[in-house]
Amino acid sequence: MTQDAVTPYFTRADGSYLFARWGRPIAPVVFGVEDATVSIVKGALEAIVALAGHQMAETDPELGANFMVFFIRDWDEVLATPNMDRLLPDLAEIIARLKSIDANQYRAFRFDADGGIKAAFVFVRMDADLSRLPADTIALSQAVQTILLWSDQAFPGQSPLAAGTDGAARLKPEIAAIIRAGYDPVMPVCAQDSTHGLRMAARVAVLEHRN
């Protein structure tokens, strides 16, 4: 995997480069679904965290839960949820924009002083398209897209998942390689220079050689 292959995953629409990974263990909580689906979501997240070599936790000492997943039917549900504006500043503007583009998912992040991810808020609107997908596919997709701060241009036209020979969703090998490289201890928790893409490509090569 070359620098040119890696860099676009962290190059935003305005041309800036921004990479970040979680700087603390992930403590998840899931709202809006039955217990069986909660287990699926947490299981998918555990699998991606294990791939990254990161850690899970029951609680975050500062925030309690730092990875919140909300399953909703309509964006207006978010507006009606008490105290949601404390999690998402400019909530009304965000919801208006999501409704205007008929979005079915949204992720917001918070960061530590060193730039590492300290919290993520994931909203999944179960529209007709998502309702046709298995719960484990939705869960895996959201876990992958939240384990790193990917570019806003990384996945709109493509999924990080692909169908396996059995028809089940699998993480694409190149995405798995980037996640492993991003969490390698020698790599920074946050980077804003595109030369980081070169370092990432080099780590992918090293880790693949080890395997």
Side-chain angles (χ1 to χ4, degrees):
M1 184 169 284
T2 65
Q3 179 183 8
D4 289 343
V6 174
T7 300
Y9 284 106
F10 306 102
T11 302
R12 310 191 70 78
D14 63 4
S16 64
Y17 186 94
L18 181 58
F19 165 92
R21 69 185 188 213
W22 283 81
R24 59 178 66 190
I26 298 175
V29 63
V30 184
F31 301 96
V33 290
E34 298 178 351
D35 288 347
T37 305
V38 171
S39 296
I40 291 172
V41 173
K42 289 187 175 180
L45 181 58
E46 288 170 356
I48 296 303
V49 167
L51 169 71
H54 194 53
Q55 301 85 37
M56 301 278 288
E58 289 296 322
T59 59
D60 179 88
E62 179 185 352
L63 303 170
N66 59 22
F67 187 110
M68 299 184 184
V69 185
F70 301 86
F71 286 89
I72 59 174
R73 291 290 177 183
D74 187 273
W75 288 118
D76 288 332
E77 293 180 31
V78 182
L79 290 173
T81 302
N83 300 319
M84 189 61 72
D85 56 344
R86 296 172 62 182
L87 296 180
L88 296 177
D90 303 321
L91 178 63
E93 290 82 356
I94 292 171
I95 297 302
R97 178 171 59 84
L98 294 172
K99 292 170 70 174
S100 71
I101 61 175
D102 197 29
N104 59 16
Q105 54 191 288
Y106 177 72
R107 286 168 294 277
F109 295 86
R110 300 290 179 269
F111 303 92
D112 288 316
D114 62 358
I117 300 170
K118 76 173 183 179
F121 311 107
V122 180
F123 299 85
V124 182
R125 181 175 70 88
M126 295 300 296
D127 63 1
D129 291 336
L130 288 183
S131 295
R132 286 192 287 266
L133 296 176
D136 54 353
T137 299
I138 296 172
L140 183 59
S141 177
Q142 295 304 320
V144 171
Q145 294 184 77
T146 317
I147 194 67
L148 293 173
L149 182 67
W150 304 92
S151 163
D152 52 352
Q153 302 293 298
F155 300 118
Q158 61 176 344
S159 171
L161 309 181
T165 55
D166 58 355
R170 299 283 189 275
L171 183 59
K172 290 180 178 177
E174 64 270 25
I175 302 301
I178 290 173
I179 292 171
R180 285 193 297 265
Y183 276 86
D184 191 288
V186 305
M187 298 297 292
V189 70
C190 176
Q192 300 183 53
D193 192 306
S194 60
T195 57
H196 172 266
L198 177 61
R199 294 186 62 193
M200 284 281 285
R203 294 314 297 173
V204 168
V206 168
L207 294 175
E208 288 183 345
H209 179 71
R210 288 177 183 172
N211 292 334

